[in-house]
Amino acid sequence: MTDFLVKRDDLRECRIAESGVAELAPGQALLRVDSFGLTANNITYAVFGEAMSYWSFFPADDGWGRVPMWGFAEVEQSEAEGAEPGARLYGYLPPSSHLVVVPADADEHGFVDAAPHRAALPSTYQRYLRTDADPFYRADTEEVQMLLRPLFFTSFLIDDQLADEGLATRGPILISSASSKTAIAAAFLLAQREGVELVGLTSPRSAEFVQGLGIYGRTVTYDRIDSLERGPATFVDIAGDGEVRLAVHSHFGDKLVHSMAVGATHWEDFGASEGELPGPSPIFFFAPDRAVKRSEDWGSATLQTRVADAWHPFCEWTGGWLDVVRGQGFEAVQSAYRDVLEGRVDPKTAHVLSLQ
Ligand SMILES: NC(=O)c1ccc[n+]([C@@H]2O[C@H](COP(=O)([O-])OP(=O)(O)OC[C@H]3O[C@@H](n4cnc5c(N)ncnc54)[C@H](OP(=O)(O)O)[C@@H]3O)[C@@H](O)[C@H]2O)c1
């Protein structure tokens, strides 16, 4: 078994760990991790590894962590009911060759991992979905599913919350890190709503790409935030850059209707300028919490159906610009991980990786 490990207190340091094949106990199953997607979202799992328990999903040696990924796996061996060898699954996976799970609540859609160390963690991350009964699944879009499905789910919930709270049309919606996949998916959905005005805030290197997407009404670089008209506006902060946050809050002040803190892509500048923000306090948007709320409101099957219905047109649209780069083995995973960590990935490209 092979694991890609990251040093918890120095995210730039990585190593490979090899161990013997796991002996399964009754009730366990061994998944072979086929491949997984890697974007800035996974980096924030590492940045908040301690604070939000992301290191707890896939334990590793002392001081090291396995950064959670989304991808596909196959049941290789099983001593558990509801996890037949050969079944192909989508779910939350370690950057490893294998994962031992304890399948529970199995039905035709899949199962949850009831391993005791995962019991207290958010339920959104626990389910393994069988591809043969998954409304999102199409064999020819596996790469896009690995890369964009979890981000699209977040974006669906952002779009839903902004509309639900009457924020979608109370002045423009300013989205930072406008070139990120999460921002793009949110903008794609918001742009379909009547009367929504979208402003993509981005870095100069991503501006042309953002403009070319055709979903933002305007593209404004971070250094030109003060050129925006000062009036009611909503800020959806995906970048998490303290300087950008301060610039938006200082420019709009009390006219800012809502400030939604979604991401920390600019992880080294995340805390900068804290404590001196004019306007409303940023409110952290945590997709698993909003998913629980909408599952209660609508029922989880309806939520899944609504997201899947919105997903397919988005998935098709991304085929027009998304460039998937495949990598295999430790060196490829390490190189892609470091590129994403340092923000060196061109916004139209994304990595799909495999350790074996
Ligand atoms: N709260 C939640 O529940 C939740 C759920 C899902 C995702 N998220 C967050 O959404 C964010 C976006 O994730 P993603 O996977 O969609 O990102 P992505 O597509 O990989 O983002 C790429 C873009 O992020 C910016 N960027 C990337 N690395 C950077 C770095 N080191 N320094 C500065 N800028 C960098 C650049 O955008 P610009 O040039 O446009 O600035 C780049 O084009 C993440 O912070 C993630 O945590 C939050």
Side-chain angles (χ1 to χ4, degrees):
M1 310 225 306
T2 310
D3 299 314
F4 175 78
L5 302 182
V6 169
K7 199 151 189 214
R8 291 187 190 199
D9 61 5
D10 178 5
L11 299 183
R12 293 187 165 89
E13 203 176 315
C14 322
R15 73 175 171 88
I16 193 163
E18 305 273 5
S19 54
V21 178
E23 279 281 326
L24 294 185
Q28 291 184 329
L30 180 68
L31 308 187
R32 182 184 61 78
V33 178
D34 180 338
S35 35
F36 48 86
L38 172 63
T39 67
N41 183 39
N42 305 94
I43 302 299
T44 51
Y45 292 148
V47 172
F48 296 115
E50 308 288 351
M52 294 181 69
S53 305
Y54 285 116
W55 293 132
S56 305
F57 283 93
F58 309 115
D61 296 349
D62 245 10
W64 294 82
R66 289 192 280 171
V67 180
M69 307 285 176
W70 291 92
F72 288 98
E74 269 180 33
V75 180
E76 193 167 274
Q77 287 174 44
S78 180
E79 297 294 331
E81 271 183 37
E84 292 76 37
R88 191 162 179 81
L89 306 162
Y90 169 83
Y92 210 45
L93 296 166
S96 301
S97 62
H98 292 83
L99 172 69
V100 175
V101 290
V102 182
D105 297 344
D107 60 18
E108 73 275 20
H109 297 289
F111 57 80
V112 298
D113 181 9
H117 69 273
R118 292 176 68 157
L121 299 166
S123 59
T124 315
Y125 303 113
Q126 311 288 32
R127 185 155 280 279
Y128 291 85
L129 298 163
R130 292 183 62 120
T131 56
D132 53 9
D134 178 0
F136 283 79
Y137 186 77
R138 275 190 18 201
D140 61 344
T141 64
E142 278 200 354
E143 289 176 335
V144 186
Q145 290 170 69
M146 285 184 266
L147 287 163
L148 302 186
R149 179 172 171 173
L151 307 173
F152 183 82
F153 193 68
T154 297
S155 306
F156 177 93
L157 295 167
I158 292 171
D159 167 69
D160 169 63
Q161 182 167 323
L162 292 175
D164 188 37
E165 295 183 357
L167 295 163
T169 48
R170 283 185 66 190
I173 298 175
L174 322 169
I175 308 184
S176 70
S177 244
S179 67
S180 68
K181 318 291 181 291
T182 307
I184 292 170
F188 179 85
L189 293 170
L190 283 160
Q192 294 170 35
R193 292 187 183 273
E194 194 75 25
V196 171
E197 194 187 335
L198 290 174
V199 178
L201 303 178
T202 190
S203 57
R205 67 165 191 170
S206 307
E208 198 181 325
F209 167 74
V210 171
Q211 186 70 43
L213 287 168
I215 47 176
Y216 296 97
R218 281 182 69 187
T219 303
V220 174
T221 51
Y222 297 131
D223 55 346
R224 303 275 299 133
I225 285 169
D226 59 4
S227 70
L228 289 164
E229 193 186 323
R230 205 178 270 120
T234 292
F235 181 35
V236 177
D237 186 14
I238 299 211
D241 182 337
E243 303 275 312
V244 171
R245 193 187 313 132
L246 181 61
V248 170
H249 276 252
S250 301
H251 183 68
F252 287 91
D254 289 336
K255 295 226 184 292
L256 204 59
V257 181
H258 183 76
S259 179
M260 180 187 266
V262 178
T265 310
H266 295 235
W267 55 281
E268 286 184 302
D269 309 314
F270 181 59
S273 314
E274 247 174 30
E276 28 179 295
L277 278 185
S281 297
I283 296 178
F284 182 56
F285 177 87
F286 187 48
D289 289 346
R290 181 75 188 172
V292 168
K293 178 183 162 22
R294 279 318 200 191
S295 298
E296 285 166 7
D297 295 344
W298 300 338
S300 61
T302 304
L303 172 61
Q304 290 302 330
T305 308
R306 286 190 188 190
V307 182
D309 287 349
W311 160 258
H312 291 293
F314 173 72
C315 188
E316 203 167 305
W317 175 72
T318 59
W321 56 266
L322 185 68
D323 196 0
V324 178
V325 180
R326 281 264 181 184
Q328 189 175 19
F330 173 75
E331 293 300 333
V333 174
Q334 175 173 253
S335 153
Y337 166 79
R338 287 193 171 147
D339 282 350
V340 178
L341 183 71
E342 306 295 351
R344 291 192 294 248
V345 180
D346 184 286
K348 74 173 193 311
T349 65
H351 294 281
V352 168
L353 303 162
S354 165
L355 253 196
Q356 49 178 0

